[in-house]
Amino acid sequence: ASAQGRWENTVVRVERGDWNGPRLADGQPDIEGHWSNTIANHDNFTDPQGGIPGDVARAGGGGARAIGTVERPVARAPSRVSDPPDGEVPFQPWARAVQKDLLANFFNPTAEQYIEPLARCAPAGPTKSLTWHGYEIRQYPGYVVFLFDSGTRMVQLEGKPHLPDNVKLWNADSRGRWEGNTLVVDVRNNNGKARLARTGEFASENVAIEERFIFAEDGERYVYEATYTDPAVYTRPWTVTIPAKKYTERSAQDDWHFQTFDAAH
C-alpha cells in the first residue's frame, strides 16, 4: 500500500461527551472491532512520518523502511506529544541523554540495552502497542480487551484495586471506567522496559498514566490521549495523542493495518 493511502497527516479530533451509539448487554458503548492508528508507525515519536534519524535504508528500501517507514509528505504530521506545545517529551537532562544514546545506537546495538524490545517480540507497552500494526478490541462484562500483534492487554472495569506495587508488567495494570463516549483508564505497575518509539523515548517503572480513549458517535474513529507523570524522568506531566479509525472487510486492503486482522481470521 502506498504511504499516501496508508497515513493521514492531521489528527481528526473527537470531543468528549455523551454516548448515543449502540451499547452491549452490560451497558458498555459498543466499540468492538479492528482498529489502527492513522498517523504513522512507531519509528519516530515526535516526527511521526519522519522516519528514524540515521536510517540509511530509507532511500534504497529494506531495513526499517521495509516494515513501515514512510516518506514524509509536504505537510508534516503533528508530534505525538500534544502537550507541551513544542511537541517534545520534557525529559530530565539525564533521561534525555539516555534517550539520545538509545537512538544513536539503534542501528548498531553493540550492547543489550540498545536492542529495541519489540525486535525480540516483547510486548510494546500501553501506548506503543497502538502504533504497531492494527489490533482488535473485544468487550466482555466488566472488561475491555486489546488484542495486539505484540500481546494482549486487559482493562478491568469493576473498580478493583491495582496489583501490588512489586508486580510489574510489560503492558502494565489497567483499571478503567466509562464516562460517556470516553474510556478513562488509570495505568500503573509498568515494568519500564518498553519504549514509546524507535527513537528511544521511555518511562520508568514508577510512571502513572491516565488514558482517555474518546470514541466518535458513529463508532468509526477514536482519539487516544494519555498523560504521563513520572517526576524522576520528566520535568512535568505531558500528553501523547494518537488518532485511530476502524477497519472492516470493506476497507481497502493494507499490509500494515490488516496484519492483526489477518492473523485473527
Side-chain angles (χ1 to χ4, degrees), residues 2-183:
S2 70
Q4 295 303 314
R6 175 179 292 167
W7 308 118
E8 300 171 354
N9 59 14
T10 59
V11 174
V12 177
R13 303 301 305 178
V14 180
E15 300 299 326
R16 298 183 67 169
D18 295 333
W19 175 260
N20 297 310
R23 293 182 181 272
L24 300 176
D26 68 342
Q28 287 192 62
D30 183 356
I31 46 87
E32 288 192 320
H34 295 269
W35 298 86
S36 184
N37 88 92
T38 62
I39 292 293
N41 61 26
H42 65 142
D43 279 348
N44 192 316
F45 199 63
T46 58
D47 184 8
Q49 296 175 351
I52 312 169
D55 184 0
V56 297
R58 281 177 62 80
R65 176 172 172 75
I67 51 175
T69 299
V70 299
E71 296 297 334
R72 183 194 297 162
V74 175
R76 173 174 167 166
S79 171
R80 296 202 190 282
V81 180
S82 52
D83 179 57
D86 65 2
E88 295 293 330
V89 177
F91 280 117
Q92 297 277 358
W94 74 266
R96 175 64 72 187
V98 170
Q99 179 263 319
K100 288 182 177 180
D101 186 52
L102 293 172
L103 174 57
N105 289 276
F106 177 83
F107 290 104
N108 185 27
T110 56
E112 184 174 0
Q113 68 265 27
Y114 298 133
I115 301 175
E116 213 282 339
L118 193 55
R120 294 178 169 179
C121 296
T127 296
K128 186 177 179 179
S129 294
L130 301 174
T131 62
W132 176 240
H133 287 292
Y135 50 92
E136 185 176 0
I137 297 177
R138 295 184 184 179
Q139 293 170 273
Y140 304 91
Y143 291 90
V144 178
V145 180
F146 293 79
L147 302 178
F148 296 117
D149 194 32
S150 57
T152 300
R153 181 182 175 202
M154 299 176 65
V155 177
Q156 214 262 33
L157 302 176
E158 296 178 348
K160 294 181 180 179
H162 282 286
L163 297 172
D165 289 343
N166 64 330
V167 178
K168 304 293 185 180
L169 307 171
W170 281 93
N171 281 328
D173 183 46
S174 299
R175 298 291 184 265
R177 65 186 184 278
W178 282 100
E179 295 181 355
N181 66 342
T182 304
L183 177 63

